[in-house]
Amino acid sequence: MSDTPDSAVQTVRGYIDQHRAAFLDDLVEWLRIPSVSAQPAHAPDVRRSAEWLTAKLRETGFPVAEVWETDGAPAVYAEWPSGDPDAPTVLVYGHHDVQPAAREDGWETDPFEPVVRGGRLYARGAADDKGQVFFHTLGVRAHLALTGRSAPAVNLKLLVEGEEESGSPHFRALVERHRDRLEADAVVVSDTGMWSETTPTVCTGLRGVADCEIELYGPDQDIHSGAFGGAVPNPATIAARLVAALHDENERVTIPGFYDGVEELTDSERALIAELPFDETSWLANASSYGTLGEAGYSTLERVWARPTAEVNGIGGGYQGPGGKTIVPASAQLKLSFRLVSGQDPYVIEAAVRDWVAARVPDGIRHKIAFGAPTRPCLTPLDHPALQAVVRSMSRAFDGAKIRFTREGGSGPAADLQDVLHAPVLFLGISVPSDGWHAPNEKVELDLLLKGVETAAHLWGDLAGALR
Amino acid sequence: MSDTPDSAVQTVRGYIDQHRAAFLDDLVEWLRIPSVSAQPAHAPDVRRSAEWLTAKLRETGFPVAEVWETDGAPAVYAEWPSGDPDAPTVLVYGHHDVQPAAREDGWETDPFEPVVRGGRLYARGAADDKGQVFFHTLGVRAHLALTGRSAPAVNLKLLVEGEEESGSPHFRALVERHRDRLEADAVVVSDTGMWSETTPTVCTGLRGVADCEIELYGPDQDIHSGAFGGAVPNPATIAARLVAALHDENERVTIPGFYDGVEELTDSERALIAELPFDETSWLANASSYGTLGEAGYSTLERVWARPTAEVNGIGGGYQGPGGKTIVPASAQLKLSFRLVSGQDPYVIEAAVRDWVAARVPDGIRHKIAFGAPTRPCLTPLDHPALQAVVRSMSRAFDGAKIRFTREGGSGPAADLQDVLHAPVLFLGISVPSDGWHAPNEKVELDLLLKGVETAAHLWGDLAGALR
């Protein structure tokens, strides 16, 4: 099936076998750094993570490897020129920060003390995204071993940000500031996943996300629900009413204008999605869930890949301790996020949400609403030659398997790179749904991690041709 | 105005003046015991509070003062027989446990280190209910000083429970077990309040309360809202939908059967309520609130005194820490309470709520619901002679002021006493709305606390006549 001689595959595999132990040792060292960008207490760890990666990229051979400051957490930039004046330029994107994680959330082992069990490496960030950034280090070395070159076949650039798990608030500014140095003919994003261990796929799109925190204030302090209850507005009730009003009986978002401009799935896109070996039982198992619920008229995959959502990520108000406390609470809080699809503008959504909330908060309740920096949705044309190069390289790594197409329901700042750099975005990810992104016991499959290395080893030569 | 000679009033006041300092010192000592019944860690403190009170009642002169065990926190029982074979028996009810309180909730001083500022005693329990239990100690001594008796004019019994703030789960069983010893011709409940410092009132009814905790379980763990959001039910959303569905657009509770049997206010009762000097601005200030909201067709006072409610006391689910976390939460929790009025049966309400919740939880969400022990509503006939005796005694303490009638929106186990002992329930409370029951910076007005002592000093003689 593959158009590459078996010898190339064997050369790459041989090289990887020789270096995999050291590669994994290094990755484990990086995963030990709790680079949680959402928690201010971990800011020094995020910096330490950036410095660790910079040193490691220099050691890998990148002649340029720098910590790039932002108004928030630092990013890492590295560059390895091809030396060939006609070589196209490829920018690899990933992130070195991770989601919050604490043992008591349900981790079987310390989230920042990586362990290998049953061919899996368990740690916060193992799949999202340190593992997937890190396969590029051994990948480019294997590419050199394969081609006999002393520099990559493309001008290879790496941008590894430190605030992705906080919504990348300073990423767009960073990209705009360094627009010239980041210039690229294509962006390769390694922060996505595949269908499964046995169905390798390439992702073609991400949803965007806009998120907000809403504070609702009622009484100045918690008050007696007997003495006052039934006669004053309860901010927890109002918070709940906001959440309940987000969706209609068809689970469609009710905020006026929310669906304006949404790029609807074509019949052929729906058919491609329907061809995937989707099994609801195993999908639910990966989701650790016991039922499906979503927008009427769409399949589960369509719902998570191609439909926008409104989700409550957190709600709190009143007494949450043991026993009861008969109060009308002083305040309540909501954390909402809106997944967005191609055609939606996060700033238009933000304005619509603000208006909608303001119109629904009754007299006697004061409110504040604050949005984080949004992430735009992103969609790559299926017929782009560079996408076909990714498919070919991946097929080599996966023993000639047919590579299918997916999207991801998650979000990344890929769209900012697309916007600012005017470059097509490709996705190269080897994570699988069971990896447990953002969840306790996050892991990466070691076999797949090495398939990522292998794909990267083939990709730079193939892309050099496709982009020329 | 009073039918008692001025000399009686003066005698009582002289006696109180002489003993107020020691009385307050004792009360402060009691308030230092953090007898929080809702928090298991404070169980030893609740016991210490019971033991402290028992010793103090013996010191006051009660020949019988005992700690009564329950399946939960201990109660205190004391008895002081009149010696007169024809004397009626009066049972005083109060509670020695208090609401949870922590400095960080907004207390200006330690809630369990009482301080006097501006004629007010600040401490958790100052008004609810230790202060109001404690005025009976000096009250009965002043009664003896007034009458020259060596024992009260009524057979005086005291029952001071230790679980009122936890919904009195074992109170009814306790009362049933000791039915014979508790036998009384009237119950005097000192766990309510007055209209204001300048409008003394007697309460004639309490709302009941039924409360529950609802746990809603979605995914086995928090899951990525990008990867799965929009396709699985979110337990925080379902919790919010339950809360939002509790009320219709007229703020009436929607649970089928909820209003069945509710004793509606008569026109004359509504007129009496309307006569009270109600000022919405100052009521809102006492409620620390910025607006009213309640059942359409009823005034604010009617809503809190005579209408049943559904209130969310606490809601929680998902990520509530700093920053954002894009998850579908694994679970959500609700603490709901339902205030009930005369004619509603809490067990009927419980069954209706269980059915209503079960019918509204979608596939894929599992739920648990647990009710605490309910408290029944309670209403005293306005024309009862014993109620008139309370009015007369209070009028003496308040310099001949007209005593008006109120109800309270709060709840107490008074109705259990009424049920089991077949005795009318009278209310003698001197707390005012600004005392901040269940709130940070709870206080009692020292002047009013002593009016409580004074009323009790007059009451036993007057009740001896009224109940004979």
Side-chain angles (χ1 to χ4, degrees):
Chain A
M1 303 287 291
S2 164
D3 58 358
T4 298
D6 275 355
S7 67
V9 171
Q10 293 316 320
T11 302
V12 166
R13 289 185 180 169
Y15 186 85
I16 292 171
D17 279 349
Q18 219 177 324
H19 295 88
R20 58 177 288 173
F23 166 76
L24 290 175
D25 285 350
D26 284 345
L27 175 56
V28 162
E29 193 176 299
W30 193 20
L31 290 168
R32 284 204 180 102
I33 304 174
S35 48
V36 179
S37 58
Q39 296 176 341
H42 283 295
D45 296 316
V46 179
R47 178 162 301 277
R48 199 149 56 87
S49 163
E51 285 163 357
W52 185 95
L53 179 61
T54 306
K56 189 56 60 182
L57 290 171
R58 280 204 206 99
E59 196 182 297
T60 299
F62 283 82
V64 174
E66 303 167 357
V67 172
W68 277 5
E69 298 300 332
T70 73
D71 286 344
V76 172
Y77 175 73
E79 201 178 309
W80 197 338
S82 161
D84 174 353
D86 295 330
T89 301
V90 175
L91 173 66
V92 171
Y93 166 84
H95 61 89
H96 68 92
D97 63 319
V98 299
Q99 276 279 313
R103 185 73 186 265
E104 59 268 26
D105 295 342
W107 284 78
E108 284 175 30
T109 54
D110 187 324
F112 298 105
E113 192 46 66
V115 292
V116 173
R117 286 197 307 273
R120 295 162 171 181
L121 173 59
Y122 289 86
R124 173 58 87 222
D128 177 20
D129 183 40
K130 285 174 175 168
Q132 302 205 93
V133 166
F134 207 62
F135 74 58
H136 285 287
T137 61
L138 186 54
V140 68
R141 301 288 332 168
H143 163 67
L144 299 182
L146 171 64
T147 57
R149 300 176 55 97
S150 59
V154 297
N155 298 304
L156 190 60
K157 298 177 177 179
L158 241 79
L159 180 59
V160 184
E161 70 155 318
E163 297 187 308
E164 199 273 345
E165 299 297 2
S166 300
S168 304
H170 307 99
F171 184 70
R172 191 176 175 107
L174 181 77
V175 172
E176 285 174 346
R177 192 158 67 250
H178 296 287
R179 185 194 305 255
D180 292 346
R181 293 188 69 186
L182 293 172
E183 193 175 57
D185 298 295
V187 174
V188 170
V189 170
S190 285
D191 186 26
T192 55
M194 303 200 312
W195 179 263
S196 74
E197 289 84 337
T198 52
T199 304
T201 53
V202 171
C203 174
T204 66
L206 299 180
R207 290 194 288 191
V209 65
D211 71 288
C212 64
E213 293 190 61
I214 303 173
E215 298 270 343
L216 296 155
Y217 304 99
D220 286 330
Q221 55 200 7
D222 293 347
I223 57 174
H224 193 291
S225 71
F228 304 109
V232 293
N234 177 329
T237 304
I238 302 307
R241 289 179 184 180
L242 285 174
V243 171
L246 279 173
H247 299 88
D248 68 14
E249 68 283 7
N250 292 315
E251 298 292 341
R252 279 177 66 88
V253 178
T254 61
I255 296 165
F258 187 77
Y259 291 97
D260 288 0
V262 161
E263 198 169 307
E264 297 289 336
L265 285 163
T266 63
D267 287 347
S268 63
E269 284 170 323
R270 298 188 82 166
L272 273 175
I273 291 173
E275 274 173 20
L276 285 163
F278 178 75
D279 174 60
E280 191 165 280
T281 304
S282 64
W283 185 88
L284 278 174
N286 282 336
S288 305
S289 289
Y290 296 85
T292 60
L293 186 69
E295 188 182 353
Y298 294 91
S299 71
T300 292
L301 285 184
E302 290 168 350
R303 285 168 177 169
V304 293
W305 287 353
R307 299 302 300 168
T309 69
E311 198 80 56
V312 53
N313 309 121
I315 186 168
Y319 185 65
Q320 299 184 47
K325 194 174 180 190
T326 45
I327 52 164
V328 177
S331 65
Q333 299 79 37
L334 288 176
K335 293 183 198 280
L336 302 182
S337 60
F338 301 89
R339 295 284 164 178
L340 308 177
V341 299
S342 198
Q344 285 180 302
D345 181 324
Y347 294 101
V348 172
I349 298 297
E350 174 176 335
V353 172
R354 285 180 183 278
D355 289 350
W356 183 84
V357 170
R360 301 187 78 89
V361 173
D363 287 350
I365 299 285
R366 295 143 297 149
H367 82 285
K368 284 198 297 201
I369 179 167
F371 275 79
T375 304
R376 289 175 184 275
C378 181
L379 201 57
T380 310
L382 291 182
D383 56 1
H384 197 286
L387 180 58
Q388 296 305 322
V390 175
V391 168
R392 277 191 302 274
S393 299
M394 205 164 174
S395 181
R396 278 172 212 134
F398 284 86
D399 301 311
K402 177 170 182 182
I403 307 300
R404 295 174 177 272
F405 297 100
T406 63
R407 297 192 194 181
E408 290 231 348
S411 307
D416 285 325
L417 292 167
Q418 192 174 34
D419 277 5
V420 178
L421 305 179
H422 303 290
V425 174
L426 311 167
F427 296 89
L428 171 55
I430 49 70
S431 181
V432 286
S434 62
D435 284 352
W437 290 29
H438 297 203
N441 305 307
E442 178 182 347
K443 54 88 180 164
V444 71
E445 302 281 335
L446 290 179
D447 282 355
L448 294 181
L449 189 65
L450 298 175
K451 295 283 188 204
V453 175
E454 211 176 324
T455 304
H458 295 292
L459 182 61
W460 308 134
D462 208 346
L463 262 188
L467 290 168
R468 213 175 284 259
Chain B
M1 302 287 287
S2 163
D3 59 356
T4 298
D6 274 357
S7 65
V9 171
Q10 292 317 318
T11 302
V12 166
R13 289 185 181 169
Y15 185 85
I16 292 172
D17 279 349
Q18 220 177 324
H19 295 88
R20 59 176 286 173
F23 165 76
L24 290 175
D25 285 350
D26 284 345
L27 175 57
V28 162
E29 193 176 300
W30 194 20
L31 289 168
R32 284 204 180 101
I33 303 173
S35 48
V36 179
S37 59
Q39 296 176 341
H42 283 295
D45 297 315
V46 179
R47 179 163 300 278
R48 199 149 54 88
S49 164
E51 285 164 356
W52 185 96
L53 179 62
T54 306
K56 189 55 64 182
L57 290 171
R58 281 204 204 98
E59 191 181 311
T60 300
F62 282 82
V64 173
E66 303 168 354
V67 172
W68 276 6
E69 298 301 331
T70 73
D71 286 343
V76 172
Y77 175 73
E79 201 178 311
W80 197 337
S82 161
D84 174 354
D86 296 330
T89 301
V90 175
L91 172 66
V92 172
Y93 166 83
H95 62 90
H96 68 92
D97 64 319
V98 298
Q99 278 278 313
R103 185 72 186 264
E104 59 269 25
D105 295 341
W107 284 79
E108 285 175 29
T109 54
D110 187 324
F112 299 106
E113 192 45 66
V115 292
V116 174
R117 287 196 309 272
R120 294 160 170 182
L121 174 60
Y122 289 86
R124 173 58 86 223
D128 177 20
D129 185 37
K130 285 175 175 168
Q132 301 204 95
V133 166
F134 206 62
F135 73 58
H136 285 287
T137 61
L138 185 54
V140 68
R141 300 287 333 166
H143 163 67
L144 300 183
L146 170 65
T147 57
R149 300 176 56 96
S150 60
V154 296
N155 299 303
L156 190 60
K157 298 176 177 179
L158 241 79
L159 181 59
V160 184
E161 71 155 319
E163 298 187 308
E164 198 274 345
E165 300 297 2
S166 300
S168 302
H170 307 99
F171 184 70
R172 192 175 175 107
L174 182 78
V175 172
E176 286 174 345
R177 191 157 69 250
H178 296 286
R179 186 195 304 258
D180 292 345
R181 292 188 70 186
L182 292 171
E183 193 175 57
D185 299 293
V187 174
V188 170
V189 170
S190 284
D191 187 25
T192 56
M194 303 198 312
W195 178 263
S196 73
E197 290 84 336
T198 51
T199 304
T201 53
V202 171
C203 174
T204 66
L206 300 180
R207 290 194 287 191
V209 66
D211 73 288
C212 65
E213 293 190 62
I214 303 173
E215 299 269 344
L216 296 156
Y217 304 99
D220 285 331
Q221 55 200 7
D222 293 346
I223 57 173
H224 193 292
S225 72
F228 303 109
V232 293
N234 176 327
T237 303
I238 303 308
R241 289 178 183 179
L242 285 173
V243 170
L246 278 172
H247 299 89
D248 68 14
E249 68 283 6
N250 292 316
E251 298 293 341
R252 279 176 67 87
V253 177
T254 61
I255 295 165
F258 186 76
Y259 291 99
D260 289 359
V262 161
E263 197 168 307
E264 297 289 336
L265 285 164
T266 64
D267 287 348
S268 64
E269 284 169 323
R270 297 188 82 166
L272 273 174
I273 290 173
E275 273 172 21
L276 284 163
F278 178 75
D279 175 61
E280 190 165 280
T281 305
S282 64
W283 185 87
L284 278 174
N286 281 337
S288 305
S289 290
Y290 295 86
T292 60
L293 186 69
E295 189 184 352
Y298 293 91
S299 71
T300 291
L301 285 184
E302 290 167 352
R303 286 168 177 169
V304 293
W305 288 353
R307 299 303 300 168
T309 69
E311 198 81 57
V312 53
N313 308 121
I315 186 169
Y319 184 65
Q320 299 184 48
K325 193 172 181 190
T326 45
I327 53 165
V328 176
S331 65
Q333 301 78 38
L334 288 176
K335 291 183 198 281
L336 303 182
S337 60
F338 301 89
R339 295 285 164 177
L340 308 176
V341 299
S342 197
Q344 286 180 302
D345 181 324
Y347 294 101
V348 172
I349 298 296
E350 174 176 334
V353 172
R354 285 180 183 278
D355 289 349
W356 182 85
V357 169
R360 300 187 78 91
V361 173
D363 286 351
I365 300 285
R366 295 144 298 150
H367 83 284
K368 283 198 298 201
I369 179 166
F371 274 79
T375 304
R376 289 176 184 274
C378 181
L379 201 56
T380 311
L382 291 182
D383 56 0
H384 197 286
L387 180 58
Q388 297 304 320
V390 175
V391 168
R392 277 191 303 274
S393 298
M394 204 165 176
S395 181
R396 279 173 209 130
F398 284 86
D399 300 312
K402 178 169 180 181
I403 307 300
R404 295 173 177 273
F405 298 100
T406 63
R407 297 192 195 180
E408 290 229 348
S411 307
D416 285 325
L417 292 167
Q418 192 174 34
D419 278 4
V420 178
L421 306 179
H422 304 291
V425 174
L426 311 167
F427 296 89
L428 172 54
I430 50 70
S431 180
V432 286
S434 62
D435 284 352
W437 290 30
H438 297 203
N441 304 307
E442 178 182 348
K443 53 88 180 166
V444 70
E445 303 280 334
L446 290 180
D447 282 356
L448 294 180
L449 188 65
L450 298 176
K451 295 284 188 203
V453 175
E454 211 176 323
T455 303
H458 295 293
L459 182 60
W460 309 134
D462 209 346
L463 263 187
L467 290 168
R468 214 176 281 259

